[in-house]
Amino acid sequence: MLTMLKVWLNKENVSKDLIFLLLIGGLYSLGIFLSSTFVNIYLWKQSNSYTDIALYNLSIYVLQPLTFVLAGKCAKRIDRVIVLRAGVIVLSLFFLSVLIIGEKAADYNILLGSLLGIGYGFYWLAYNVLTFEITEPDTRDFFNGFLGVLQSFGGMTGPLFAGYVISRLDQLTGYTVIFAISFSFFILAVFISFGLSRRKARGNFSFRRILLERKYNSNWNQILKAHVSQGFREGTFLFAVSIWIFLLTRSEFTLGVFNLVYSGFAFLFFFLCTRWVKPRRRKKAIFYAGLSLYLSVLLLLLGDSLSLLLFYGAVAGVFFPMLYVPYQSLTYDVIGKSWNAGEMRIEYIVVREIFLNAGRVLSILVFLLAIVFIPPETGIPYILLIVGGGHFFIYFFIKDIQFKTKESPQN
């Protein structure tokens, strides 16, 4: 398989670890896309409360960065593959908990969100560090693009299949089946993780030092600001759009169709971005994609027809890969060229995630404040318009990044 993939991609430096990491990322995407959208709907049906859904997501984004710090310390002392495995196991426990709690899940929304945040923290810390270590500057665009292809495939098949199953079965039974399948995907990912080479880090966990690195490294300071902006959009969009579509259609299957349209276009354009987006074109791609994503939010304000919703999904599916692939690659290049990156790569990933989740928390706080004054049934599109500029403003933080910085003094 490895030889065939090298020939197909015309790349000789595709390693075994890179393939295994992509497989784990693909299984993660299938498990998450199969269920994560419908966890929000599942909780909504039980509570009919926007506040409960927002608090569930807020607890995810509060616990995730805190777990990143703990996971970073662990990754400095033990094999980072074990940290990745721990994250997948906790995510498995989340879905197992939802299965066990069942119809009372909404009563434990903060507890479930916290458990998911802990799983995300361990998983993404290890996955991001392994991505940084396993990929090279000439393979990062490929890796991020191909991972996006796998994520889009999960986004195409997962929600549509889940929506079909839930609509065909008694709804509690349908949700139970879907959560059980997600649980099995994460267990499979644990087994595949045993194929990754063991990787240990040396040195002390110097979180504060890398936090202070913003004073000495303008590239690092700007990319962190960009991640706050990214999180400001994602925090609300990751749950509010799904709730909004469900409220308009009252159909899990239609929500699955929306995700099929979005992920179908994303699947194609993630693949194309692996070949089109070169380092010299990154900033231009980020600008045009961010602007298009912001303008696309207007489609949610123009009307509530299914055709407009599907058109919005198509536009987002086209331009999100054009933003994500060069942006992620630029981020890893900034880290790779920063002070003492070889020894401090874990700390750089931890600090980045803290800023990203700070933006997500701010976004949800804006949402919670807004629904106090605006009825959610009419106000959600306008809230999305407020936070939707996050991806567009990324460009204004990264446009001056240049790789000619001097090393900062060691403290």
Side-chain angles (χ1 to χ4, degrees):
M1 177 182 176
L2 180 59
T3 303
M4 291 175 62
L5 192 60
K6 285 181 177 181
V7 173
W8 179 62
L9 295 169
N10 194 27
K11 289 182 180 292
E12 291 297 324
N13 51 351
V14 175
S15 66
K16 173 179 69 70
D17 281 347
L18 189 148
I19 299 301
F20 278 129
L21 199 60
L22 284 173
L23 285 175
I24 292 170
L27 286 169
Y28 167 88
S29 299
L30 279 172
I32 288 295
F33 278 113
L34 192 65
S35 295
S36 62
T37 297
F38 294 98
V39 171
N40 283 297
I41 305 300
Y42 189 56
L43 296 176
W44 163 259
K45 284 191 167 186
Q46 293 180 17
S47 68
N48 287 312
S49 169
Y50 293 95
T51 300
D52 285 349
I53 302 299
L55 289 175
Y56 162 74
N57 285 273
L58 182 63
S59 61
I60 294 173
Y61 301 134
V62 170
L63 265 294
Q64 186 171 334
L66 295 177
T67 305
F68 257 87
V69 177
L70 175 61
K73 290 182 178 180
C74 292
K76 280 287 192 173
R77 293 175 171 84
I78 62 176
D79 188 344
R80 288 183 293 287
V81 176
I82 295 177
V83 178
L84 177 72
R85 203 171 295 151
V88 178
I89 290 172
V90 174
L91 291 170
S92 304
L93 292 176
F94 165 78
F95 287 107
L96 186 62
S97 299
V98 175
L99 287 170
I100 294 172
I101 297 172
E103 292 181 322
K104 295 184 178 180
D107 295 335
Y108 300 92
N109 60 328
I110 294 178
L111 178 63
L112 289 172
S114 299
L115 185 61
L116 188 58
I118 292 170
Y120 282 157
F122 277 106
Y123 174 84
W124 281 114
L125 181 279
Y127 198 90
N128 288 332
V129 171
L130 289 170
T131 298
F132 177 74
E133 293 176 347
I134 291 172
T135 63
E136 299 293 338
D138 62 332
T139 59
R140 279 176 189 149
D141 287 321
F142 152 71
F143 180 89
N144 290 321
F146 201 82
L147 179 62
V149 169
L150 295 176
Q151 290 172 335
S152 299
F153 178 78
M156 289 168 60
T157 57
L160 185 65
F161 175 74
Y164 176 78
V165 169
I166 293 170
S167 64
R168 297 289 292 180
L169 300 176
D170 170 78
Q171 294 207 346
L172 178 59
T173 304
Y175 279 106
T176 300
V177 170
I178 294 306
F179 296 151
I181 295 173
S182 290
F183 174 74
S184 67
F185 280 134
F186 284 111
I187 294 300
L188 180 58
V190 171
F191 284 109
I192 291 179
S193 70
F194 285 95
L196 291 169
S197 303
R198 296 179 64 86
R199 293 173 178 272
K200 295 183 179 180
R202 299 177 179 177
N204 298 318
F205 184 68
S206 304
F207 166 74
R208 291 183 180 179
R209 175 61 187 83
I210 301 306
L211 192 61
L212 292 173
E213 177 66 10
R214 295 172 297 148
K215 296 181 179 180
Y216 312 116
N217 186 337
S218 62
N219 285 353
W220 180 231
N221 186 41
Q222 292 304 110
I223 207 70
L224 289 178
K225 291 178 181 178
H227 276 77
V228 174
S229 184
Q230 174 193 351
F232 188 65
R233 176 183 169 108
E234 290 180 353
T236 297
F237 266 72
L238 290 177
F239 73 93
V241 171
S242 297
I243 297 293
W244 177 246
I245 293 171
F246 178 75
L247 288 175
L248 292 176
T249 64
R250 296 292 174 179
S251 168
E252 286 92 351
F253 183 71
T254 302
L255 182 57
V257 171
F258 171 84
N259 280 279
L260 174 65
V261 172
Y262 165 76
S263 298
F265 279 93
F267 179 88
L268 174 62
F269 277 83
F270 266 118
F271 177 76
L272 294 176
C273 283
T274 63
R275 299 178 179 273
W276 287 353
V277 180
K278 305 302 179 184
R280 68 181 183 277
R281 301 174 182 165
R282 284 175 181 169
K283 293 179 181 179
K284 186 179 294 186
I286 290 170
F287 173 78
Y288 287 115
L291 176 61
S292 300
L293 287 170
Y294 191 22
L295 292 176
S296 70
V297 181
L298 295 173
L299 294 172
L300 299 176
L301 295 173
L302 294 176
D304 55 7
S305 68
L306 180 59
S307 59
L308 272 178
L309 292 175
L310 295 180
F311 183 56
Y312 165 77
V315 172
V318 168
F319 289 103
F320 179 73
M322 293 177 62
L323 173 91
Y324 181 82
V325 171
Y327 176 55
Q328 286 296 98
S329 299
L330 180 65
T331 299
Y332 284 122
D333 283 355
V334 168
I335 293 174
K337 297 178 184 297
S338 293
W339 172 78
N340 211 12
E343 182 180 341
M344 300 294 179
R345 55 189 175 273
I346 292 175
E347 288 86 343
Y348 279 106
I349 297 295
V350 170
V351 172
R352 185 195 72 163
E353 288 298 316
I354 287 176
F355 278 76
L356 173 62
N357 283 280
R360 290 170 173 171
V361 169
L362 178 62
S363 177
I364 294 179
L365 292 177
V366 169
F367 177 86
L368 286 169
L369 180 64
I371 62 175
V372 173
F373 302 101
I374 307 172
E377 289 77 7
T378 58
I380 285 180
Y382 298 96
I383 297 171
L384 294 178
L385 187 63
I386 293 173
V387 302
H391 281 169
F392 175 52
F393 291 112
I394 285 174
Y395 170 79
F396 298 97
F397 293 116
I398 60 92
K399 66 183 180 68
D400 294 324
I401 288 179
Q402 301 292 335
F403 294 113
K404 296 181 180 178
T405 57
K406 297 179 181 179
E407 284 195 349
S408 63
Q410 298 188 26
N411 291 346

